[in-house]
Amino acid sequence: MNKIIAYMGSSNLTFSGLQGQGELNIDVLDGDAAGKLAQWFEDRWADRWCLDIGDDLVHVIEESWAREEAIPRTTFT
């Protein structure tokens, strides 16, 4: 049994990206390869030149169709 499994892919956080498009995704089951991918990710996550966009991303999602509350229907005249 592997201690680590990696999931990697090109799917984006849009309805079509998650539901409709044939995105490229892979399960990396080899423990050594999964560990190397995890280290690659951690190196980039900890990069001092990376910008923290967490708050900005939360704001964008809260204003988008992906938010928890349904977008109210409006009537245009």
Side-chain angles (χ1 to χ4, degrees):
M1 172 153 238
N2 291 334
K3 292 183 178 183
I4 184 171
I5 296 173
Y7 300 97
M8 189 174 83
S10 66
S11 293
N12 55 50
L13 296 175
T14 65
F15 181 76
S16 62
L18 296 172
Q19 295 289 325
Q21 298 294 326
E23 303 290 339
L24 175 63
N25 299 296
I26 187 169
D27 302 344
V28 180
L29 303 177
D30 177 75
D32 181 59
K36 288 175 182 173
L37 282 170
Q39 187 60 54
W40 177 88
F41 176 85
E42 291 298 330
D43 290 345
R44 275 132 196 91
W45 185 264
D47 186 328
R48 64 182 252 188
W49 300 110
C50 287
L51 299 175
D52 182 355
I53 62 165
D55 291 338
D56 294 330
L57 183 58
V58 168
H59 176 73
V60 167
I61 290 172
E62 286 175 347
E63 298 296 319
S64 77
W65 64 266
R67 63 186 182 197
E68 287 189 42
E69 305 86 32
I71 298 173
R73 289 183 175 224
T74 58
T75 305
F76 296 100
T77 57

